[in-house]
Amino acid sequence: MIENLLRGLRELPNIHPLVVHFPIVLLPAALALDLAGLAARRGELHRVARWALWLGTVATALAVITGHRGADVVEPYLSAEAAADLSRHHDLGLVTLGTAAAVSLWRLLVRNPFPTRARLAYVALAIGSVATLVVGADLGGRLVYRHGVAVRVGADSLYGGAAPFDAAHSH
């Protein structure tokens, strides 16, 4: 029975698909909590946002590292279009990490729960970080669902060796 636990996890070529979901949740949650804290004038929301931001930044770093390692495995098999999408996905991951790290450092150095000076610049940078995250995540989805990157299709797959997606066939 124990050998049947987490069988799907053992099929992953790397852990990038597991890691990416943490920044996708934590960075937008941090921004939303900060905006709610501004609107409600509640410091405790800013404190929770700060921790979500810091955890999201660490998760973003792990996503970039695992994605870089995962790209090494799949790159030799990519079409030119998929390789271009992967390159943009990688670049956006680095931009997201850079902006999240900048905002995290800002929050670390500011003594208040939320920056009062240059507040607009802070919020703009946080929004930029989330925007690059969303576009990068969209490209990641495109890599998997359009190009089939890191998706095994073969006789032992769920699809019995057939292509997993046929646009002409739907239920």
Side-chain angles (χ1 to χ4, degrees), residues 11 151-164:
E11 296 290 329
V151 175
R152 182 179 4 189
V153 179
D156 65 338
S157 77
L158 175 64
Y159 305 100

Side-chain angles (χ1 to χ4, degrees), residues 30-164:
L31 176 60
L33 286 163
D34 269 334
L35 293 175
L38 277 173
R41 297 175 188 237
R42 307 266 320 245
E44 60 271 11
L45 290 175
H46 293 304
R47 283 188 286 281
V48 174
R50 184 175 50 210
W51 281 100
L53 172 64
W54 290 340
L55 291 171
T57 301
V58 169
T60 302
L62 291 173
V64 167
I65 291 165
T66 60
H68 184 71
R69 289 184 178 166
D72 290 342
V73 173
V74 299
E75 275 182 308
Y77 307 101
L78 299 181
S79 68
E81 182 183 7
D85 283 349
L86 181 63
S87 178
R88 285 191 297 274
H89 177 67
H90 176 263
D91 292 348
L92 286 165
L94 291 174
V95 172
T96 301
L97 178 57
T99 54
V103 174
S104 288
L105 184 59
W106 191 336
R107 289 302 277 276
L108 187 62
L109 298 175
V110 169
R111 297 208 187 276
N112 296 329
F114 186 74
T116 52
R117 290 183 157 176
R119 181 176 288 164
L120 184 59
Y122 175 89
V123 170
L125 190 58
I127 289 171
S129 183
V130 170
T132 58
L133 172 82
V134 168
V135 175
D138 180 66
L139 276 169
R142 179 178 165 88
L143 285 164
V144 172
Y145 295 109
R146 174 166 172 76
H147 301 295
V149 173
V151 175
R152 182 179 4 189
V153 179
D156 65 338
S157 77
L158 175 64
Y159 305 100

Side-chain angles (χ1 to χ4, degrees), residues 1-8 10:
M1 173 163 45
I2 195 102
E3 64 274 358
N4 288 329
L5 290 175
L6 304 176
R7 287 181 8 197
R10 290 193 305 262

Side-chain angles (χ1 to χ4, degrees), residues 10-31:
R10 290 193 305 262
E11 296 290 329
L12 290 176
N14 63 69
I15 63 166
H16 182 68
L18 290 175
V19 174
V20 297
H21 296 93
F22 290 99
I24 289 171
V25 169
L26 290 167
L27 293 180
L31 176 60

